[in-house]
Amino acid sequence: LMDYSKKISKQVAGIPRSGIRDFFELVQGRDDVISLGVGEPDFATPWHIREAAIYSLEKGFTSYTSNLGLLSLRKAISRYVDDFFKVNYSADSEILVTVGVSEAIDLALRALINPGEEVVFHTPCYVSYLPSIALAYGVPVEVPTKKEDNFALRADMLEAAITPQTRVLMLNFPTNPTGAVMPVDELEKIAQLCVKNDLIVLSDEIYCELCYGEDEHVSIATMPGMRERTILLHGFSKAFAMTGFRLGYACAPAPLIEAMMKIHQYAMLCAPMTSQAAALEALENGEAAMLEMRESYHQRRDFVVGRLNDIGIECHSPGGAFYVFPDIRKFGISSQEFAMRLLEAEDVAAVPGDAFGQAGEGFLRCCYATSLDELKTAMDRIERFVATL
Ligand code: PLP
């Protein structure tokens, strides 16, 4: 019998499975469960966007595209990014279309990191960050964010984590799993630290359209000295409800895009043409549908935050994304145990906060991209459950 453990690279063997995946294998095939688990819109992709994909197939657009992505799509991305983020990137050399932001994160880390160099990131964070850094032979350095700061990253805590080996800072605002947004003055301090320490910033702004406050989303790429050292990542999965299309993009100075391209052209060749056709339609005509979905998330956020606090589970009102991150520490059990017992007792699935790093222990991630009716039922069940603790 072959001993496969000796066949698998140490790097891969050392990577833990996603805590979310473990948890959701328990939920699989149980249709009685209300899931607040998976971080994905409950909407199907707007019909006109699906139609654009269908038309592209009808017309026989089934080939490879340029490695960088369709020029028409890159031009549309350039206009959109200019308009939304107020930063200009050349469609010819500064935009790379990828298979989701997921691929762009992997490309960027592999393009930037030499073995042993440090990558700083804030936790709790999206589950792929730590493994992606490790797979690129980087050394992950976590900076915890705190409930007292509404899970924004504090410049003083970041500064304390920076060493001469630090090469890259990863940012994700609005944040998965906390919904945090950054106060602009604090983000400016962080930008200054990046300039001072000559860091490259990988800024994952995949939730940027989904902000519910008065203030507009501000990208660190717009701050003094930052455009030249920022890789701005964005995609279509969240705001346009296109997770299954697997489409994202990176915007950065040409030499950085060229380095990422080198990996992309051999590993992926190009993003799927059908998805690129759909994404072009999303950018050209998708704004109304996107704003409608955002309004609906906004309502649901207010409902869920209101109910959780009424029930006696402290929960700040997150500025963006579609997650709430309630504090369950007062119940005196771990977030794993809380999530397990909630699932067993009341058929509600939410993700234990420690799946997003140790800084998430004592919290629960609930995705509210689920119908209001289901959210109401879920909140009633959570209320009944906490009464038993
Ligand atoms: N980045 C963050 C912060 C996410 O939450 C997710 C998905 O949940 C991704 C990236 C991956 O997105 P994509 O579907 O574009 O690969």
Side-chain angles (χ1 to χ4, degrees):
L1 217 61
M2 177 156 328
D3 180 1
Y4 288 106
S5 68
K6 293 204 172 68
K7 300 292 179 199
I8 291 171
S9 85
K10 292 195 182 79
Q11 204 69 8
V12 170
I15 287 182
R17 279 161 54 95
S18 159
I20 299 190
R21 195 168 134 195
D22 277 347
F23 192 72
F24 281 89
E25 279 181 5
L26 295 171
V27 178
Q28 285 278 313
R30 287 180 54 182
D31 39 0
D32 46 339
V33 171
I34 296 183
S35 177
L36 310 178
V38 181
E40 148 163 83
D42 61 327
F43 298 103
T45 308
W47 174 241
H48 66 99
I49 298 175
R50 282 184 271 160
E51 249 178 355
I54 295 165
Y55 288 155
S56 85
L57 289 171
E58 281 182 353
K59 289 178 205 145
F61 294 154
T62 55
S63 61
Y64 295 132
T65 69
S66 148
N67 294 133
L68 290 171
L70 288 171
L71 183 59
S72 54
L73 175 59
R74 282 181 279 136
K75 283 183 173 161
I77 291 170
S78 175
R79 282 192 297 274
Y80 185 84
V81 168
D82 199 8
D83 198 47
F84 188 90
F85 297 94
K86 315 279 185 281
V87 213
N88 189 267
Y89 292 97
S90 148
D92 290 325
S93 59
E94 297 184 315
I95 295 170
L96 173 64
V97 178
T98 57
V99 178
V101 170
S102 300
E103 190 211 352
I105 291 170
D106 179 47
L107 295 179
L109 290 169
R110 287 205 276 162
L112 295 170
I113 301 302
N114 293 300
E117 290 175 341
E118 292 174 5
V119 179
V120 180
F121 61 111
H122 51 96
T123 55
C125 73
Y126 180 47
V127 290
S128 87
Y129 287 6
L130 191 138
S132 298
I133 296 165
L135 286 170
Y137 300 94
V139 177
V141 177
E142 293 185 34
V143 180
T145 58
K146 302 197 156 132
K147 182 184 164 197
E148 302 84 84
D149 304 316
N150 286 335
F151 295 99
L153 175 60
R154 271 173 38 190
D156 59 343
M157 291 179 66
L158 171 62
E159 186 164 25
I162 294 173
T163 76
Q165 279 73 50
T166 311
R167 286 286 308 276
V168 175
L169 168 65
M170 292 178 81
L171 295 177
N172 170 225
F173 294 102
T175 310
N176 174 6
T178 59
V181 296
M182 275 305 287
V184 172
D185 54 344
E186 200 68 14
L187 194 61
E188 275 165 353
K189 286 187 207 157
I190 288 169
Q192 285 160 14
L193 282 176
C194 293
V195 172
K196 186 173 138 201
N197 293 281
D198 196 19
L199 306 184
I200 297 285
V201 176
L202 204 51
S203 189
D204 175 351
E205 303 185 32
I206 191 166
Y207 294 101
C208 65
E209 289 92 349
L210 305 179
C211 284
Y212 312 112
E214 307 277 277
D215 305 327
E216 283 189 12
H217 175 81
V218 176
S219 173
I220 196 165
T222 60
M223 293 180 167
M226 290 309 294
R227 187 192 179 284
E228 64 177 11
R229 58 178 69 255
T230 302
I231 301 178
L232 173 60
L233 306 181
H234 194 20
F236 298 87
S237 287
K238 311 293 174 171
F240 293 101
M242 291 175 65
T243 49
F245 284 87
R246 310 304 309 121
L247 215 71
Y249 53 89
C251 302
L256 298 179
I257 289 295
E258 182 59 25
M260 291 170 66
M261 225 297 265
K262 272 192 185 169
I263 310 169
H264 172 79
Q265 69 184 344
Y266 297 123
M268 206 61 73
L269 215 159
C270 67
M273 156 98 72
T274 315
S275 300
Q276 294 190 53
L280 182 58
E281 173 65 18
L283 292 182
E284 286 181 342
N285 299 304
E287 193 183 11
M290 184 268 282
L291 292 175
E292 217 173 283
M293 291 189 274
R294 177 172 75 188
E295 181 50 35
S296 160
Y297 295 135
H298 191 168
Q299 270 178 15
R300 295 184 242 177
R301 179 202 67 170
D302 291 347
F303 169 75
V304 171
V305 169
R307 271 304 298 275
L308 285 170
N309 284 298
D310 287 348
I311 293 168
I313 306 180
E314 255 181 69
C315 182
H316 77 291
S317 184
F322 38 51
Y323 309 103
V324 289
F325 206 60
D327 184 348
I328 53 161
R329 287 174 294 188
K330 75 172 195 193
F331 300 105
I333 53 176
S334 72
S335 57
Q336 289 280 348
E337 187 180 345
F338 189 102
M340 255 346 186
R341 285 173 57 182
L342 175 63
L343 179 63
E344 273 162 26
E346 292 290 349
D347 293 321
V348 174
V351 186
D354 69 340
F356 308 96
Q358 206 40 49
E361 178 50 39
F363 296 83
L364 203 63
R365 188 191 77 172
C366 305
C367 173
Y368 56 80
T370 293
S371 74
L372 259 182
D373 277 350
E374 288 225 298
L375 289 173
K376 281 180 183 145
T377 310
M379 292 303 128
D380 291 345
R381 292 182 184 181
I382 290 175
E383 179 166 25
R384 209 158 52 201
F385 172 69
V386 296
T388 68
L389 291 178

